[in-house]
Amino acid sequence: MVAQSETSGGFKRVMVLAFCVAGIWSAYITQGVLQETLSTKRFGPEAKRFEHLAFLNFAQNVVCFIWSYIMIKLWSSKSAGSAPLSKYCGVSITNTIGPTLGIEALRYISYPAQVLAKSSKMIPVMLMGTILYGVKYTIPEYICSFLVAGGVSTFALLKTSSKTMKKLANPNAPLGYTLCFLNLAFDGYTNSTQDLIKSRYPKTSPWDIMLGMNFWGSIYNAVIMFIVPFLFSNWPYANGFEAVNFCRAHPEAAWDILVYCLCGAVGQNFIFLTISRFGSLTNTTITTTRKFMSIVVSSVVSGNPLSAKQWGSVVMVFSGLSLQILLKWKRKKA
């Protein structure tokens, strides 16, 4: 009877894990396809591009704020021990700038290149750890870093197909990769500060963090995209009014943006579920494999052909990431 109960519990756990994998993969792969579509597609008979990619970040903030508010009301309640909204005011600045830079990078480099560049998060972490804090890493950890850095560098140096280049608004690999690495730097600060908030206010739930970050993110983006252009007519940066007018003229773009935002919100649900049931390491494994699949989907579905050497670079990067995950699993087991 006990064995039967354990088997039933094990099967249920496997099914929950499969549900989490399917949710994360479907949400974020779909979001990636839409992000690439919005950055490369030409809309309407006049074949216009959606030039306001930063608007995606604003729309994502608004949708995720509403979504997290609904989730808190439905599934939890904001306890007295959770972090106040004011604590997210500062960190939301970097959380606004970082993702915007990552999205803007798609003007200059292809989606697979962006995914690879943003997968090299371990490199600045190890550099900062070694230079600033004198942290000593193991040889396998250096091998991981070498594989990732080597793969990203090789991919960047290899020639991109003419078909992919034609889709880009302003092909400029150095600028595109620089924006991605700045995105990583801002994300690193954002993640560290979120961890600090969580440690100081242990009763803060993931929904509380999502609510606070997107509340301030919505305000900052609204100021940048609507108030500033209203006050300064020659504002050279993203213009929210122009983005809204574009969506009115091209409802297909508006629908893509809405689904893009919902995928991000739903994906967060599955990430929270995965971490709560199986831990952050399992979540890292799922999201890493998802990034690889995003590149495959981009190559096959979106028509971004990669050469054999570029696929070799992709395999090199994900070999390094896989080795890193394996080392973490071994440490956890020990």
Side-chain angles (χ1 to χ4, degrees):
M1 199 71 166
V2 175
Q4 187 178 358
S5 177
E6 288 179 353
T7 303
S8 176
F11 177 75
K12 185 178 179 181
R13 187 173 172 81
V14 169
M15 292 304 294
V16 172
L17 180 59
F19 179 64
C20 291
V21 172
I24 291 173
W25 276 32
S26 58
Y28 287 110
I29 289 176
T30 302
Q31 189 183 47
V33 170
L34 290 170
Q35 187 181 61
E36 186 174 7
T37 298
L38 287 162
S39 65
T40 60
K41 185 177 177 180
R42 294 181 181 274
F43 295 88
E46 61 280 351
K48 283 189 175 180
R49 287 182 181 271
F50 181 70
E51 298 287 353
H52 317 282
L53 295 180
F55 183 76
L56 295 178
N57 197 29
F58 169 67
Q60 181 81 90
N61 283 147
V62 173
V63 170
C64 284
F65 170 71
I66 296 170
W67 183 276
S68 56
Y69 179 80
I70 293 171
M71 290 298 105
I72 289 173
K73 291 296 182 183
L74 288 178
W75 303 109
S76 64
S77 56
K78 197 166 177 65
S79 61
S82 62
L85 275 178
S86 59
K87 293 296 178 182
Y88 302 101
C89 178
V91 68
S92 293
I93 296 175
T94 56
N95 192 52
T96 299
I97 298 172
T100 301
L101 295 177
I103 291 173
E104 287 290 329
L106 289 173
R107 292 178 181 274
Y108 312 107
I109 57 175
S110 66
Y111 180 72
Q114 184 221 40
V115 172
L116 278 188
K118 291 176 70 174
S119 297
S120 58
K121 192 179 293 185
M122 69 170 75
I123 297 172
V125 171
M126 289 181 70
L127 281 175
M128 290 295 186
T130 303
I131 296 169
L132 297 180
Y133 305 110
V135 177
K136 292 184 178 180
Y137 297 96
T138 63
I139 292 176
E141 286 173 325
Y142 280 116
I143 292 173
C144 292
S145 181
F146 171 78
L147 287 170
V148 173
V152 173
S153 301
T154 305
F155 191 96
L157 292 172
L158 290 170
K159 186 178 179 181
T160 305
S161 71
S162 57
K163 186 177 180 181
T164 301
M165 292 290 284
K166 286 178 182 177
K167 289 183 177 182
L168 300 178
N170 300 294
N172 188 330
L175 179 56
Y177 282 105
T178 299
L179 290 174
C180 285
F181 293 132
L182 286 173
N183 180 189
L184 287 179
F186 282 114
D187 282 355
Y189 174 81
T190 300
N191 294 337
S192 300
T193 308
Q194 285 179 342
D195 290 340
L196 186 63
I197 292 172
K198 178 71 176 172
S199 64
R200 289 181 177 175
Y201 300 90
K203 292 185 178 180
T204 302
S205 72
W207 298 120
D208 294 330
I209 295 175
M210 191 175 178
L211 181 81
M213 297 293 289
N214 287 289
F215 170 76
W216 288 105
S218 298
I219 293 174
Y220 295 148
N221 274 304
V223 170
I224 294 169
M225 300 202 71
F226 292 97
I227 296 177
V228 174
F230 179 76
L231 297 175
F232 304 96
S233 57
N234 293 325
W235 175 244
Y237 187 60
N239 189 310
F241 297 107
E242 291 180 4
V244 171
N245 289 335
F246 186 94
C247 290
R248 284 178 177 171
H250 305 91
E252 185 183 353
W255 175 253
D256 285 346
I257 292 171
L258 176 60
V259 177
Y260 168 88
C261 296
L262 289 174
C263 283
V266 172
Q268 284 294 317
N269 265 33
F270 285 104
I271 285 177
F272 295 158
L273 177 62
T274 303
I275 293 174
S276 65
R277 294 292 186 94
F278 305 100
S280 59
L281 189 51
T282 300
N283 180 66
T284 301
T285 306
I286 295 171
T287 53
T288 299
T289 53
R290 188 275 304 171
K291 289 175 183 177
F292 182 82
M293 288 306 300
S294 292
I295 293 177
V296 174
V297 170
S298 175
S299 178
V300 176
V301 177
S302 301
N304 288 322
L306 301 181
S307 66
K309 290 181 179 179
Q310 286 178 316
W311 276 117
S313 301
V314 171
V315 171
M316 193 174 176
V317 170
F318 284 96
S319 295
L321 295 175
S322 300
L323 179 57
Q324 183 193 37
I325 292 170
L326 180 62
L327 294 173
K328 288 181 178 179
W329 276 110
K330 284 186 175 180
R331 277 198 293 268
K332 184 179 178 181
K333 212 171 183 180

